[in-house]
Amino acid sequence: MARLEKVERLTLLGAHPDDLEIAAGGLLLSLNPKTVHYVLLTGSPARLAEARAAAAAFLPGADVTFAFSALPDGRLPAHWAEAKAAVQAAATVPADLVLAPSLYDAHQDHRLLAELTPTAFRDAQILHYEIPKWDGDLGRPNVYVPLTDDIARRKVELLHKCYPSQHARDWWDDEFFLALARLRGAECRRRYAEAFTVSKMTMELS
């Protein structure tokens, strides 16, 4: 069982505000990084303000820097060069761990960001996160982060608090968020968990 206590420098890559907290909010609440570089490629001013509030809530005590590209939502493949430049710029910031969307994500914005990440980050460990949605694109993850009941429910509480603009969506509720966590928990013999995919890992033997 790998442990994440030594993650001091964290880079978060998201196509949209709320992607990271929906997918990995429990992991963020479980880590204690010193520095966080939070990169978002799309978002209105109001949505970006929500993301800032979420970063403060999910990562208390961390020194968080933001990089926004303000590219058009749903159109990232048409802005490949700008997206590539944003990811390359993010890779100049030292990181122990990088979170990025799944390579199998059906949403074009998520998938493009996922594909760009490994080509830019050569030395950091990358965890590709999953985002539940109507596309039905959840795959077979190979890394699990168990969550306590308190952290799983705190994640949901903070999602509601930090992203009020999303409350009207028909899927936005406690059951939606906890159901996937419960399923992934069962897969790793815990009550709740978040799941990720790792395509490459380097192991150091001391």
Side-chain angles (χ1 to χ4, degrees):
M1 178 181 295
R3 298 188 178 275
L4 296 171
E5 291 96 336
K6 294 185 178 180
V7 174
E8 295 186 347
R9 303 169 299 178
L10 178 65
T11 293
L12 307 177
L13 303 176
H16 316 100
D18 78 22
D19 285 354
L20 281 147
E21 292 80 15
I22 289 174
L27 173 59
L28 298 183
L29 288 168
S30 303
L31 294 174
N32 187 31
K34 292 182 178 179
T35 62
V36 178
H37 189 50
Y38 197 126
V39 180
L40 287 173
L41 298 188
T42 74
S44 66
R47 293 275 279 139
L48 296 179
E50 290 181 330
R52 287 185 179 277
F58 280 87
L59 296 158
D63 179 10
V64 183
T65 60
F66 278 84
F68 295 135
S69 294
L71 298 175
D73 190 347
R75 299 289 188 272
L76 288 188
H79 296 267
W80 185 94
E82 296 96 322
K84 175 70 171 180
V87 175
Q88 287 181 320
T92 65
V93 179
D96 302 312
L97 178 66
V98 177
L99 302 187
S102 168
L103 291 160
Y104 309 105
D105 198 301
H107 191 293
Q108 63 274 13
D109 291 353
H110 302 166
R111 189 170 59 254
L112 176 63
L113 181 54
E115 292 169 351
L116 292 173
T117 301
T119 66
F121 289 87
R122 302 297 179 93
D123 298 322
Q125 180 61 60
I126 302 170
L127 291 182
H128 292 276
Y129 55 76
E130 58 181 0
I131 304 173
K133 52 192 177 302
W134 72 274
D135 302 86
D137 57 1
L138 296 178
R140 299 182 65 181
N142 55 20
V143 174
Y144 294 85
V145 176
L147 307 178
T148 65
D149 285 24
D150 287 345
I151 287 180
R153 297 186 182 281
R154 178 63 173 162
K155 169 185 173 177
V156 176
E157 176 188 348
L158 290 178
L159 283 170
H160 292 317
K161 178 181 179 180
C162 297
Y163 289 104
S165 68
Q166 304 304 293
H167 291 181
R169 294 185 178 274
D170 56 7
W171 50 266
W172 187 280
D173 58 35
D174 292 16
E175 288 182 317
F176 179 80
F177 299 122
L178 290 174
L180 180 59
R182 183 69 184 95
L183 173 64
R184 295 312 191 197
E187 291 175 352
C188 65
R189 303 193 69 182
R190 301 293 179 88
R191 180 162 181 80
Y192 294 115
E194 289 173 341
F196 304 85
T197 303
V198 171
S199 57
K200 183 185 292 185
M201 175 178 288
T202 299
M203 300 184 69
E204 296 184 1
L205 303 178
S206 57

